[in-house]
């Protein structure tokens, strides 16, 4: 299980929990040697979820004038590009070992690191700004 902190915004915590569930379902599906289309469906869901979650974070960062917005957004762009490339690579090569390693190690490490650093600070900032406006 991945160990990551809760942040100051509920929607982000819910999305993070959903991300963890999607990633775990995907790893379990790969381990069970499920048919490739089943893996593709879950992988597409993980990408769509991440896309949507990042867009929501970015919208709120812009609304509240988060100063390091560009840094956080460029990290999102880097991750989305990597996810798309890995997904394409999987769909062309069907290398189960590579897909599993990437999800298990790289995505796991990235997620814990990202929530601990950028998301934690961003949620705190947005939460404080929203509080001031009400
Ligand atoms: Fe983020």
């Amino acid at each position: 299980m991945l160990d990551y902190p809760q942040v100051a915004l509920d929607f982000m915590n819910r999305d993070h929990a959903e991300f963890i569930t999607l990633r775990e379902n995907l790893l379990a599906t790969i381990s069970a040697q499920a048919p490739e289309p089943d893996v593709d469906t879950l992988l597409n869901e993980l990408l769509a979820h991440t896309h949507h979650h990042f867009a929501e974070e970015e919208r709120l960062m812009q609304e509240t004038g988060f100063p390091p917005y560009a840094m956080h957004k460029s990290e999102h762009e880097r991750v989305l590009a990597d996810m798309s490339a890995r997904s394409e690579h999987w769909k062309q090569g069907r290398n189960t070992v590579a897909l599993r390693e990437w999800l298990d190690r790289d995505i796991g490490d990235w997620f814990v690191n990202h929530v601990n650093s950028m998301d934690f600070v961003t949620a705190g900032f947005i939460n404080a700004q929203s509080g001031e406006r009400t």
Side-chain angles (χ1 to χ4, degrees), residues 12 53-54 57 61 72 76 114 118-119:
M12 282 172 73
H53 173 66
F54 284 177
E57 278 185 21
M61 283 193 274
H72 196 158
H76 285 170
H114 187 80
M118 292 198 196
D119 283 355

Side-chain angles (χ1 to χ4, degrees), residues 16-53:
H16 290 161
E18 196 182 320
F19 183 90
I20 294 290
T21 303
L22 284 168
R23 173 179 166 276
E24 270 165 16
N25 287 346
L26 196 43
L27 282 167
T29 304
I30 295 166
S31 294
Q33 296 177 322
E36 285 157 0
D38 292 359
V39 174
D40 291 355
T41 301
L42 286 170
L43 192 55
N44 293 342
E45 266 182 53
L46 188 76
L47 262 75
H49 165 92
T50 306
H51 220 278
H52 180 265
H53 173 66

